[in-house]
Amino acid sequence: MARTAGDVLAAAIRTHAEAVLRGHDDVRAAAVRASGAPEAAPDAVHDARVAVRRLRATLRVFRGCTAPEPGTVEALTWWVRTLGAARDAEVRRAGLAALAADLERPSPDVLAGLATLDGTLVAADAAARAEVATALASARCRDLTARLDVLAAAPPLADRPGTPAATALRPGVERELARVGRRAGPVAAWRDPGSGDRPAPGVVHRLRKAARRARYAAEVLAGSGDLATDRWADDVVAHHRELQDLLGSVHDADVLRATLLDLSGPRTAAAVAACVRLGDERAAQALAAAAAAVR
């Protein structure tokens, strides 16, 4: 049965706001755990960050149908960036571990360098978690929590809540798809994984962000209750989830590459060279698949 834009948006806003609120406790536990200790919710930071992004995308993409309090989107942006530093630290450590596990017959110099690099990343991880713990106790976080409570209790809708969701919300998704198309050119044009001349990391990352936002917008539209619209939205979600994952692999490899090169020195040079070489190969493979997906 077809649903109104107001019903669909209210459900999405409430769901995402409640997810961010639930995530606070898990994020707090992850932020204060001892380094190396097991986590009750190992993906707490990632899950919270995804919930914030989904909520922010809903408010931004469908801004003609929603009316959040001034400053709400900015508060969400602050929180997602705060979580981002901790998540990036986690991803770098995991990325290094994955590369280290797949190196063929690493030399003693490489093994020693890997241990040094991991120790540095452990320290960076601990520092990032400490920053999250500080942020959780801040006035800004209390303000964010109050805003989330309001969003969950009374999702802010604009003047057209009775319009069918398929009519009111599809244009927002189509705008996001157009954004993806505008940013896809350099990736679509790249065809030689062996050349080493990949599109700049910033170009790849901007396309990834556009694909993610299109996916999240389509997830909201997929609850319209209009069969044809929901099927179309489901196809958009599936395609852009795959594209986002591929580009995410490239982005993570690029971030880790830059970090490792910054850490290269007499004790780590051999390990950095080996990891960068393998990481570049895998990033090129992922980017080739992404390029095929956007042509």
Side-chain angles (χ1 to χ4, degrees), residues 14-274:
R14 183 176 292 111
T15 296
H16 299 328
E18 290 175 347
V20 181
L21 287 167
R22 285 195 308 271
H24 276 10
D25 288 340
D26 287 339
V27 169
R28 184 175 289 103
V32 302
R33 71 181 170 86
S35 180
E39 295 182 55
D43 292 325
V45 174
H46 171 68
D47 292 345
R49 199 177 178 203
V50 169
V52 176
R53 282 175 166 163
R54 282 194 165 106
L55 176 56
R56 187 177 61 170
T58 300
L59 297 175
R60 281 178 166 174
V61 174
F62 306 114
R63 56 189 175 274
C65 299
T66 64
E69 293 181 359
T72 294
V73 171
E74 290 77 10
L76 292 169
T77 297
W78 165 77
W79 186 228
V80 82
R81 288 176 178 170
T82 301
L83 293 171
R87 179 58 181 168
D88 288 347
E90 292 176 351
V91 170
R92 285 194 296 267
R93 276 201 73 194
L96 178 64
L99 292 175
D102 291 340
L103 291 175
E104 294 186 9
R105 296 185 296 277
S107 68
D109 282 352
V110 169
L111 291 173
L114 289 170
T116 299
L117 291 169
D118 185 60
T120 302
L121 295 184
V122 166
D125 182 30
R129 286 189 281 109
E131 290 182 5
V132 171
T134 299
L136 280 165
S138 69
R140 292 188 77 172
C141 194
R142 290 193 293 274
D143 172 72
L144 172 62
T145 299
R147 291 175 182 274
L148 291 167
D149 285 335
V150 171
L151 291 174
L157 303 178
D159 295 334
R160 301 189 306 156
T163 307
T167 301
L169 305 185
R170 179 162 175 160
V173 178
E174 291 174 339
R175 284 194 300 272
E176 298 309 311
L177 295 178
R179 187 196 303 270
V180 172
R182 290 193 299 271
R183 296 184 178 183
V187 172
W190 186 75
R191 294 178 179 272
D192 186 3
S195 69
D197 186 23
R198 294 193 279 120
V203 170
V204 174
H205 189 43
R206 284 192 292 274
L207 176 57
R208 179 197 181 196
K209 291 194 293 184
R212 181 175 62 215
R213 192 156 127 166
R215 170 193 169 184
Y216 292 164
E219 286 176 346
V220 174
L221 178 61
S224 75
D226 177 82
L227 184 60
T229 299
D230 290 354
R231 285 177 175 171
W232 178 80
D234 284 339
D235 288 343
V236 172
V237 170
H239 175 75
H240 288 79
R241 180 191 297 116
E242 178 185 9
L243 180 59
Q244 179 189 343
D245 288 346
L246 291 168
L247 295 172
S249 296
V250 179
H251 174 68
D252 291 347
D254 286 337
V255 170
L256 179 58
R257 185 184 202 276
T259 298
L260 293 178
L261 291 175
D262 284 344
L263 297 175
S264 184
R267 299 174 59 190
T268 60
V272 168

